[in-house]
Every structure is written in structure tokens, then in C-alpha cells.
Amino acid sequence: MYPSRKKYAAEFIGTLVLVLIGCGSAATAGGELGYLGIAFAFGLSIVAMAYVIGPISGCHINPAVSLAMLIRGRMPRKEFLGYVIAQTAGAVMGAALLSAIIQSTGKPVASLGQNGFGEGYGIGISGTMAFIVEIVLTFIFIYTILGVTSDAANSHVAGLVIGLSLVLVHILGIGLTGTSVNPARSFGPAVLLGGEALAELWVFIVAPLIGAVLAAFVYRRLNVNKEA
């Protein structure tokens, strides 16, 4: 069993990598990569980190995942807050590194892969629909995580399945909200950019947390015998 400080350090590093690589791909090469390329940038970040920090912290790198694990009794309550703080700090640092990279070119920082909605963002869905979309996508993502991590026999493929499930939700979600499903991932870019990204941030914090709670509840109702 790793001490808490090592778990927090692992979550910090993992979330930093997710934001730097995923959001960085969207901000610097989104036009060349397209939605599918950006989706794989996020998903492959999870795959890579899962096999490095997974044995240390479980590789949550997402407060919504940690909340679902807390509800399912798969992590100690005393560590939950530490995980969220580490994840948020990692996201801010990842966004800060991305911002520094862009600034080094002498160009203004117009995008850090932030989430959003409304006119001028993606296909222009409303705030209400963005809220619903984030709940649904988070539910799919976390329900998959709860399932694949419920059996130790899946440990060798869990990271790959989770990473591909993140690719899956991004394929649809990028054109709608940019795909959050992760409050920390949204927090880092929004805090550094401010303005509209920061004003809309609450959607990408609250909706994923609701999606996580729903996923944990549904998993308990439908899959309880599997874990019994």
C-alpha cells in the first residue's frame, strides 16, 4: 500500500499529463488532427498513465472518478479531498505549461483546449443541452470504469479499456462541449483563460459530478451481484 503523499503526487502528474497532451493537442494542432486525433490524444494519455501511476493511486486523474470510487467504497474518505486537490493542481500546472509553450511563439493565448458551448463553440448547443450532454458522457465513461475495474482479472486490460472509453465519449463530445467529463481538466484551462471559459466552468464541474453519482448508483443497482 502506497502512502497518501505518493498517491497525491501520482494524481498530480497524471492530471498534468492529461491536460498538457489532451488540451494541448486541441489548442495547438486541432485543425490538423481533427476530432478523432484529439480524442485519441486524451485517450492515449489515460492509457499511458494507467500503467505507470495506476498501481500507485488507481489513476483516477479526475474528481468525478474519485467521487464514484468513494461512493462505491473503493477509496478511503480521508484520501478523497487530497485526490481532488492534487488533480486540480495538476490540471492547472498542465494548462500553465501549455500556455507557456504557446506564449513562447510570441502569439496570444486564445485557446487552451477549454470547454464551452453556445454560439461560436462547436455546433453551438445551448447551456442546458451542454449540461445534459456532460452528464450523459460522464455516466458512460464512469460506468465503464466501474465495470472494468470491478474484477482483478481485468487489471491487465483496464487501462486500455478506460482510455478507449475516453476516446469514445470524445468522438461525440468534442463538437458539442469539447468534452469535459472531468472537472479538473476543465478547471485548469478555464482559470488561466478567464472570461467566458471561466463563466461557463460551473457546467463542467457540476454536470460531471452528477454523471458520476448516477453511474455509481446505476452500477450498484445493476451490477451488485457481480461484486457480491
Side-chain angles (χ1 to χ4, degrees):
M1 179 68 70
Y2 286 89
S4 294
R5 65 180 181 276
K6 288 191 175 183
K7 294 180 182 180
Y8 302 154
E11 288 295 305
F12 174 88
I13 293 170
T15 315
L16 185 158
V17 170
L18 176 69
V19 171
L20 179 62
I21 301 300
C23 295
S25 296
T28 65
E32 292 75 19
L33 291 173
Y35 287 178
L36 189 60
I38 296 170
F40 270 98
F42 278 101
L44 291 176
S45 297
I46 292 287
V47 173
M49 290 297 99
Y51 292 103
V52 179
I53 69 170
I56 302 172
S57 68
C59 190
H60 296 183
I61 58 179
N62 181 341
V65 172
S66 296
L67 178 60
M69 292 299 178
L70 177 66
I71 292 171
R72 294 299 306 134
R74 296 189 194 174
M75 74 175 299
R77 292 184 179 181
K78 64 181 181 179
E79 288 184 347
F80 173 72
L81 182 59
Y83 266 55
V84 173
I85 293 172
Q87 292 156 0
T88 303
V92 172
M93 181 58 71
L97 286 173
L98 175 57
S99 179
I101 291 169
I102 296 172
Q103 288 180 24
S104 72
T105 67
K107 299 177 182 178
V109 180
S111 172
L112 291 175
Q114 68 274 15
N115 298 112
F117 52 84
E119 185 177 355
Y121 193 103
I123 65 171
I125 64 174
S126 67
T128 299
M129 186 52 65
F131 195 84
I132 294 171
V133 164
E134 285 294 329
I135 290 174
V136 172
L137 295 183
T138 307
F139 174 89
I140 295 169
F141 181 50
I142 292 184
Y143 190 59
T144 301
I145 292 174
L146 291 173
V148 76
T149 58
S150 66
D151 189 339
N154 296 330
S155 60
H156 61 296
V157 298
L160 181 60
V161 171
I162 293 168
L164 289 176
S165 70
L166 189 60
V167 173
L168 174 68
V169 297
H170 270 80
I171 290 173
L172 172 62
I174 289 174
L176 304 178
T177 64
T179 313
S180 172
V181 304
N182 182 337
R185 167 262 185 271
S186 299
F187 184 85
V191 166
L192 267 68
L193 282 174
E196 189 173 14
L198 188 58
E200 296 175 348
L201 177 61
W202 71 272
V203 170
F204 305 107
I205 292 177
V206 178
L209 295 178
I210 293 174
V213 172
L214 290 175
F217 175 77
V218 171
Y219 189 85
R220 183 180 66 185
R221 298 291 293 179
L222 294 184
N223 302 75
V224 64
N225 290 333
K226 181 179 179 181
E227 292 192 325

